[in-house]
Amino acid sequence: MTLPDPGPWGAAFVILAMMLATYLCRISGVIMMGFIPLTPRVRRGLAALPGSIVVATVLPLIERLGFAAALALIAAIGSMVLKRSELLALVVGMATVSAARALGF
């Protein structure tokens, strides 16, 4: 089965469609939150949301990628706690996973 030729505007159309989908997802959250009263309980939930998203994203990766990924995450978190630099934490995490992989983990 072959796909039809998208033509010269195919890539631009796909990029615009994804841009529209992203915009609609973001604006729908803003519109829906306009109907929810911001009680202290809701504020606490919203404050905890970024951390839970990070955990939900990172833990399956660590489970799949193994010990080297867990070690890199611990090193990056330690770097972030000590120096408060996202770039440094990224470099430390990448260096740690590279070293662990080179050592056979």
Side-chain angles (χ1 to χ4, degrees), residues 86-102:
E86 292 90 359
L87 182 60
L88 180 62
L90 176 69
V91 170
V92 167
M94 294 299 289
T96 304
V97 79
S98 297
R101 295 275 187 224

Side-chain angles (χ1 to χ4, degrees), residues 38-48:
L38 290 178
T39 63
R41 185 176 182 176
V42 172
R43 287 183 191 273
R44 284 192 309 270
L46 290 173

Side-chain angles (χ1 to χ4, degrees), residues 42-58:
V42 172
R43 287 183 191 273
R44 284 192 309 270
L46 290 173
L49 195 58
S52 64
I53 291 172
V54 168
V55 169
T57 304
V58 169

Side-chain angles (χ1 to χ4, degrees), residues 6 13-14 16 27 30 34 40 68 71 93:
F13 176 72
V14 170
L16 287 173
I27 198 69
V30 172
L71 198 61

